[in-house]
Amino acid sequence: MISLVLSQLAARWGQAVTLFVLSVAATVVAVSVPAFAVAIDRAAVANERAAADASEFVVSVATVSKQPPAEEGEGVVDDGTTEDLTAYADARSRLAGFLPLTTVQIQVQGLDRKKDGGVLYSLIARDGFCRYVTFSVGRCPVGNRELALPANLAKKLKLRTGDQSVLTPVQRTQESIELDGPPVAITIVGVFEPRNAADPYWVAEDPLGQFDLPKAFTNRTTMDTIEHGHEIVWLDAVMPPRLLTPERIPVLRDQLDAAEQRISEEEGGFGAGLLTSLPSLLDRIEAHGQNGRALLPIAAVPVIVLCWFVIHLAVGHGMWGRRLEVGAVVLRGARWPTRAATVAGESLLPLLAGVPVGLLLAGPLVGMTGPGDGSPIGIDDDQLVAAGLAAAGTVAAGLLALRRELAGPVGRLLRQMAPRSHRLAVAAFEVLVIALGIVSVVELRQLGGHLVGVRVAAPVLVILAVAMLAALAVPSLLDLLGRWTLRRGRIGPAVAAFYLARRPAASARLLAVLVLVFGTLGFAAIATDVAAQGRQAEAQQLLGAPRVLEVRPINREAFLKAVRKADPGGKDAMAVVAAYRSTGDNPPLLAVDSTRLSHVAYWPERYGATRAAQAAELLRPPAREPTTLGDGELVANLWPDAVTTEKTLRVALQLVSADGDRVIASFGPLTRTQSTYRAAVSGCDGQCRVTGITASSTDDDVVQFGLTFGSLRQGDRTVLSAEQLADESRWRAPEGPESVEQLWANPTPDGLRLSQPSPQVDEEYELLAVDVPYPLPAITAGQIRGKLLPNLDVEQIRLDTKATMTGVPGLGAFGVLVDLEYAERLTRDPGTASSPQVWLSADAPDSIVAKLRDQGLVIAGDRTVETIRGTLDKSGAAMALQSYQLGAGVTVLVGLGALALIVVVDRRAWIPGMRALRAQGTRERTTTTAALWSYGGIVATSAVVGALAAGATWYVAGGRLPVGVEPSLLPAWPRWPYVLVSEILVVAVLAAAVVAGAWWQRRVVRQREERSG
């Protein structure tokens, strides 16, 4: 039996090779799904590891403050520090593989060798310190009473190796600095630079002084021999980057949970637990994998179905040519095993042989075409399961094509005619496919949802439905085309059309296969281009402008003025400050210098009908000039009410200088025998802005108080008249639930009456000045709950929504945009912008950066749309879309195989017909033209129908494709030239195959003519 099957394979080796290649292709595509998932996981780990902040590798287990024992006479109090450290060390030991890091710190004076004690410095002993530094001078402090200094601190203090400093341990309290131990002489033995300041080793406790003064380093022996009462001990653990692999992510989570559980046992559930951002890093990595896995089956299923379809056609066409052979075997009385081997062995052996080869090829191919460093992907259990499923589908497709030959009667095998039942089965299959396609369209358009579960088959069902509808119309159209070309005297196209019309099964199947090829490629091209445009739009939205400079923290008013001075024209740079977001429920608030908004920010049409220039006008309506004054004496007219206790009430004017510093002018205590009060103002540097009025009582028995503010003068100028003070639009009470009990303001003919019905002693009650439109004009995106939001100083302000849009620059689909100057003028206190940014326009000159630095701004980062886009291109969904490259290659290969199969099988009918035409005097050019038109026309028709099928599929399922981009950012349709280029390239490849097939058929006809004489 084996020899019989082998002889069949040898006699028809071309068909066996075709089936082998198709089986390899189906297996490669199926196995590529789990292989690509592994590649995405690896790439996600590498990308996130490279982009992660060093702090995300650090786990802070505990911070323990050690206190001195109780004073003499009170007994010794054990604060449990030793037991705490033991318990926390046990918790840290659960983090196997992490670098344990213990740091001990005390506060000292005398490092700068100043007689008055000087500045407080931190002296720390840290595990493994010398392994992470390079000593520019000196050595590691290994002996007792030795220390080493960072190079910048040594330079600042003008200290060198060999110098001695007398250090005195101290303890800072709320009121003063107290001694904590006797002085001790200590020698500086080394000056160092960190080998890598970005190493996670340097994150915890900020030893290099990124945000504070650098620390002096010593060893544990020195720390233990210096007498001191207070110290802080930090127990940290640093995860080596090598531990961060896809396989170890569950292990890392289990280790963190175990350490957290041990700490919870120690603290009784009331402590802070682990302090670390490592879980967020793990979440981001796993999110990449989840997003990629959601997209991979959608990309693979159409190609796998295409492979199985072509395998079915290949096996069926091959069997059609040897039905007489099988009939002869059955006619001789062969038993069923012999019949099965004769029928199926020749097809199943190459199909099964292609499975392990495809399994072995998938890893290297994914390594070459997928994300990552190009290394091959090893075989795992998921790939074996995928290969098994591919093998089952491949064998099932082959057996379905052989079902009649395996069980049909001998009479039917000896006839070269398809039975009526076969035609009915084909028609039923076509109706089923079309019905499933229609159901998919209705379900996705009406019910919505994502392409998950069985819905991943929706795109291929829609494409197949379009292909079947086109195939049903082909015979009639070909017959009409043949008659039309014949009437025009074009014999070659007419012969091709009539030939294909008389063989509807072959032409319809080829058309269906090629429509599936072009539809799959077109859908892949559309998805890839739409996702790329979406990532570009997301990068622009996240950044807000073509280029963004990150600036070190700076006073908000000084920041705004610095940017305006650097760009007086207002077309290149815009100051931007984000408000602190206290909870996830609050929308993010972004304050921008709206006078430059239309010149700098990205403002696409998808945001809504409001354009950037209109938005600037909405955010910055006309406002009154702020109330300002300078240095010098202020004169205020103030009258306390009769209910106010004499000489207990003080009034203060709250001011902000031009540099953003707070200045207070205080009046009082008030008495009913006096109405004029004076206060000296200094620190205004020419101009201060009035931000509010405060009043407080020193009366321990205070029940209520009140006063009238009549006027405010400075020199000969009236700063605030009675009428201005009585103008209610100039004042507002602090907002928010915690601000209910504030100053009550009522206008009177004499000025502004201020009162507090239930004050507390020494409590300041405030009334805020308003010199901008209030509630503050805002533009919002998304569903904003309520009208109160934290301002730049975290205090609540009321908003007035002027426009609602689908998105705002720098925030996206959820956030609030306000004017920076107006928002700052509504703050209660001047303060620092924690994360200021300068947005630059596309035309901003490079010199603008130098001008910003000249204004005192420290540039900490420089981001462009390209850098953000590069990060987004490394997302899980973006990496999963790379699988379309492998799928496209396999699709083209299968399309070529299908075309070659039809050409080879049809040669039995085509070549005798062409020889007959040649014998009747038809020119060879005409027969060659007929060959070109026969399959070239199907290729061209398939390209058009396939493009339409791809468009229809995208219309139905495109919005449900998980491409990893906010749906509002995705364009409705792709850039069609990009899609057409990919389609044209495939048409060119298949056209070349058609030409080769026509040339081969011409050559066969010529050879047979020569042999026949």
Side-chain angles (χ1 to χ4, degrees):
M1 191 65 64
I2 296 177
S3 59
L4 172 63
V5 175
L6 293 178
S7 63
Q8 288 177 319
L9 293 174
R12 288 180 284 269
W13 61 269
Q15 178 180 332
V17 170
T18 301
L19 294 176
F20 174 80
V21 171
L22 291 172
S23 176
V24 169
T27 306
V28 165
V29 176
V31 174
S32 70
V33 174
F36 253 101
V38 173
I40 290 172
D41 288 340
R42 290 183 182 177
V45 167
N47 296 335
E48 289 294 339
R49 189 165 53 195
D53 188 80
S55 62
E56 294 183 292
F57 294 89
V58 180
V59 180
S60 294
V61 179
T63 302
V64 179
S65 297
K66 299 181 70 174
Q67 308 293 335
E71 306 230 353
E72 282 189 31
E74 297 181 1
V76 177
V77 178
D78 184 3
D79 62 358
T81 300
T82 302
E83 289 78 4
D84 288 346
L85 288 176
T86 302
Y88 290 130
D90 181 46
R92 185 173 63 179
S93 68
R94 311 296 172 93
L95 302 175
F98 284 56
L99 173 68
L101 196 60
T102 301
T103 305
V104 181
Q105 173 181 294
I106 63 173
Q107 298 291 320
V108 297
Q109 283 183 324
L111 184 62
D112 48 11
R113 301 194 288 188
K114 291 183 178 180
K115 294 182 180 180
D116 58 354
V119 179
L120 265 67
Y121 291 91
S122 296
L123 179 66
I124 67 173
R126 181 167 230 177
D127 293 342
F129 147 68
C130 292
R131 294 196 300 269
Y132 293 88
V133 301
T134 300
F135 287 93
S136 55
V137 181
R139 58 174 175 81
C140 178
V142 294
N144 192 17
R145 307 295 171 87
E146 295 181 346
L147 65 78
L149 297 177
N152 56 349
L153 182 59
K155 181 179 179 180
K156 177 181 179 180
L157 301 181
K158 299 180 180 179
L159 295 175
R160 297 178 296 179
T161 55
D163 291 345
Q164 270 197 347
S165 294
V166 178
L167 304 183
T168 302
V170 294
Q171 171 68 13
R172 183 195 295 273
T173 65
Q174 291 184 350
E175 294 80 16
S176 62
I177 296 175
E178 300 177 353
L179 293 178
D180 198 40
V184 60
I186 195 164
T187 304
I188 300 169
V189 299
V191 176
F192 66 87
E193 293 277 2
R195 292 183 179 177
N196 179 13
D199 193 286
Y201 178 87
W202 299 109
V203 171
E205 293 80 61
D206 188 32
L208 297 179
Q210 273 189 305
F211 307 102
D212 200 354
L213 288 175
K215 297 173 173 57
F217 285 75
T218 187
N219 51 65
R220 292 295 295 271
T221 302
T222 300
M223 190 68 74
D224 292 339
T225 58
I226 295 178
E227 294 184 34
H228 59 277
H230 296 79
E231 69 179 24
I232 300 177
V233 181
W234 285 283
L235 274 71
D236 303 312
V238 178
M239 184 191 70
R242 59 179 173 77
L243 292 185
L244 188 57
T245 62
E247 299 79 13
R248 281 191 53 83
I249 287 179
V251 177
L252 292 173
R253 290 194 184 276
D254 290 342
Q255 290 178 336
L256 291 172
D257 291 342
E260 188 78 51
Q261 179 65 29
R262 181 64 183 90
I263 293 175
S264 179
E265 293 172 0
E266 176 65 23
E267 297 177 342
F270 296 101
L274 296 179
L275 298 178
T276 178
S277 299
L278 180 57
S280 298
L281 175 61
L282 302 182
D283 290 341
R284 293 200 305 270
I285 292 172
E286 290 189 330
H288 287 302
Q290 292 169 359
N291 294 336
R293 285 173 172 80
L295 189 58
L296 288 172
I298 302 172
V301 166
V303 185
I304 296 173
V305 170
L306 174 64
C307 292
W308 288 344
F309 192 12
V310 176
I311 287 172
H312 179 80
L313 294 181
V315 173
H317 278 282
M319 178 52 65
W320 186 259
R322 55 191 185 93
R323 286 170 64 90
L324 291 177
E325 175 185 312
V326 175
V329 172
V330 176
L331 188 62
R332 292 170 181 254
R335 291 179 298 175
W336 193 89
T338 304
R339 177 177 181 176
T342 305
V343 173
E346 182 179 350
S347 300
L348 294 184
L349 276 181
L351 291 177
L352 293 174
V355 172
V357 176
L359 177 63
L360 295 173
L361 286 178
L365 288 175
V366 170
M368 289 187 293
T369 61
D373 56 4
S375 58
I377 307 298
I379 298 174
D380 57 18
D381 293 342
D382 291 338
Q383 295 180 42
L384 291 174
V385 171
L389 293 175
T394 298
V395 171
L399 291 178
L400 282 175
L402 299 174
R403 65 191 185 283
R404 300 187 182 281
E405 286 72 16
L406 287 171
V410 64
R412 185 177 298 170
L413 292 175
L414 295 176
R415 288 192 305 165
Q416 291 295 301
M417 291 286 293
R420 181 180 299 275
S421 61
H422 175 70
R423 293 193 294 271
L424 292 175
V426 171
F429 174 76
E430 291 172 346
V431 171
L432 176 63
V433 170
I434 293 172
L436 289 175
I438 294 173
V439 169
S440 299
V441 171
V442 173
E443 182 181 12
L444 290 177
R445 295 300 299 180
Q446 297 297 325
L447 301 180
H450 297 287
L451 297 180
V452 294
V454 295
R455 286 188 174 186
V456 298
V460 71
L461 286 174
V462 176
I463 296 173
L464 271 176
V466 175
M468 293 299 177
L469 289 172
L472 291 175
V474 161
S476 300
L477 293 176
L478 286 174
D479 188 69
L480 291 175
L481 180 62
R483 297 177 186 278
W484 181 75
T485 53
L486 186 61
R487 285 196 299 269
R488 294 175 60 89
R490 305 187 63 180
I491 305 300
V495 170
F498 284 133
Y499 173 77
L500 294 175
R502 299 301 185 268
R503 295 178 58 83
S507 58
R509 290 171 184 171
L510 179 59
L511 181 71
V513 169
L514 294 183
V515 167
L516 188 55
V517 168
F518 284 107
T520 301
L521 290 173
F523 184 77
I526 292 174
T528 302
D529 183 66
V530 168
Q533 292 185 69
R535 292 195 299 274
Q536 179 72 15
E538 184 176 4
Q540 293 176 350
Q541 179 173 274
L542 289 174
L543 200 60
R547 185 181 178 188
V548 171
L549 303 178
E550 306 284 349
V551 180
R552 286 288 176 89
I554 186 176
N555 179 273
R556 294 188 296 266
E557 283 203 24
F559 172 57
L560 177 60
K561 291 177 180 178
V563 176
R564 287 180 172 178
K565 287 182 180 179
D567 177 31
K571 295 185 178 181
D572 296 326
M574 179 175 70
V576 178
V577 177
Y580 173 73
R581 190 178 181 187
S582 58
T583 67
D585 295 332
N586 286 335
L589 184 142
L590 196 68
V592 301
D593 186 359
S594 59
T595 59
R596 296 142 187 259
L597 187 66
S598 61
H599 300 290
V600 175
Y602 281 121
W603 203 276
E605 293 183 358
R606 65 175 177 274
Y607 283 170
T610 305
R611 309 311 304 147
Q614 296 172 311
E617 294 177 357
L618 293 174
L619 293 177
R620 195 179 172 86
R624 67 165 60 96
E625 289 296 322
T627 303
T628 59
L629 49 85
D631 290 338
E633 187 179 61
L634 280 178
V635 179
N637 288 336
L638 301 165
W639 303 282
D641 289 354
V643 297
T644 303
T645 306
E646 283 282 294
K647 297 184 179 181
T648 60
L649 185 62
R650 302 189 67 90
V651 177
L653 201 63
Q654 305 294 322
L655 309 171
V656 174
S657 71
D659 294 330
D661 298 324
R662 186 172 185 176
V663 179
I664 299 176
S666 184
F667 303 96
L670 304 188
T671 175
R672 280 183 287 277
T673 61
Q674 179 183 350
S675 62
T676 302
Y677 298 85
R678 287 174 168 78
V681 176
S682 62
C684 284
D685 296 329
Q687 188 179 71
C688 278
R689 176 170 55 86
V690 177
T691 63
I693 302 171
T694 61
S696 63
S697 175
T698 58
D699 184 4
D700 292 334
D701 300 321
V702 63
V703 177
Q704 60 178 321
F705 68 71
L707 71 140
T708 300
F709 200 146
S711 65
L712 182 69
R713 302 188 310 277
Q714 187 172 50
D716 297 332
R717 185 172 74 94
T718 299
V719 178
L720 286 169
S721 65
E723 292 77 10
Q724 290 173 323
L725 284 166
D727 184 357
E728 291 183 279
S729 66
R730 287 179 173 270
W731 312 100
R732 69 179 179 92
E735 304 278 3
E738 73 284 355
S739 305
V740 174
E741 295 295 335
Q742 293 295 335
L743 279 180
W744 291 17
N746 301 102
T748 69
D750 297 327
L752 183 66
R753 184 178 185 277
L754 304 174
S755 63
Q756 172 49 244
S758 56
Q760 300 292 323
V761 62
D762 293 329
E763 182 76 18
E764 284 194 343
Y765 297 93
E766 188 172 13
L767 186 68
L768 302 176
V770 177
D771 50 28
V772 299
Y774 190 80
L776 182 64
I779 292 177
T780 63
Q783 187 175 1
I784 309 298
R785 297 179 180 178
K787 297 293 184 180
L788 292 177
L789 278 182
N791 196 7
L792 301 178
D793 60 350
V794 195
E795 297 294 335
Q796 298 278 331
I797 59 171
R798 194 169 296 276
L799 299 180
D800 178 16
T801 301
K802 295 296 185 180
T804 301
M805 307 178 64
T806 60
V808 290
L811 297 178
F814 184 57
V816 177
L817 202 65
V818 297
D819 182 77
L820 174 57
E821 181 180 350
Y822 284 8
E824 177 60 26
R825 283 162 65 174
L826 286 173
T827 56
R828 295 174 68 174
D829 296 304
T832 299
S834 58
S835 55
Q837 297 177 342
V838 179
W839 290 9
L840 302 181
S841 67
D843 300 327
D846 293 336
S847 60
I848 191 66
V849 179
K851 293 179 180 179
L852 291 168
R853 289 195 174 102
D854 291 342
Q855 295 299 322
L857 301 184
V858 180
I859 308 301
D862 188 349
R863 296 186 298 161
T864 64
V865 172
E866 287 71 24
T867 58
I868 302 298
R869 170 68 187 275
T871 301
L872 295 176
D873 285 344
K874 296 176 182 178
S875 66
M879 291 188 289
L881 284 171
Q882 296 181 31
S883 64
Y884 276 126
Q885 299 177 7
L886 179 60
V890 173
T891 300
V892 174
L893 178 65
V894 173
L896 286 171
L899 185 61
L901 173 69
I902 297 298
V903 171
V904 171
V905 171
D906 276 5
R907 75 185 189 277
R908 302 184 184 92
W910 176 265
I911 292 176
M914 293 304 101
R915 288 184 61 194
L917 288 176
R918 292 281 290 131
Q920 296 173 16
T922 304
R923 292 181 301 174
E924 187 178 57
R925 178 180 177 182
T926 302
T927 58
T928 303
T929 302
L932 290 173
W933 273 101
S934 61
Y935 301 109
I938 290 182
V939 169
T941 304
S942 301
V944 174
V945 177
L948 295 175
T953 305
W954 180 258
Y955 174 76
V956 172
R960 278 75 179 172
L961 202 64
V963 295
V965 179
E966 181 70 27
S968 62
L969 298 178
L970 294 173
W973 295 102
R975 294 165 293 188
W976 289 113
Y978 172 83
V979 179
L980 292 177
V981 166
S982 61
E983 295 274 342
I984 291 171
L985 289 175
V986 179
V987 169
V989 172
L990 294 179
V994 168
V995 172
W999 177 84
W1000 174 74
Q1001 288 182 340
R1002 171 181 174 178
R1003 183 168 173 270
V1004 171
V1005 171
R1006 183 181 297 174
Q1007 288 176 347
R1008 293 191 179 181
E1009 286 179 349
E1010 292 174 353
R1011 284 199 299 267
S1012 62

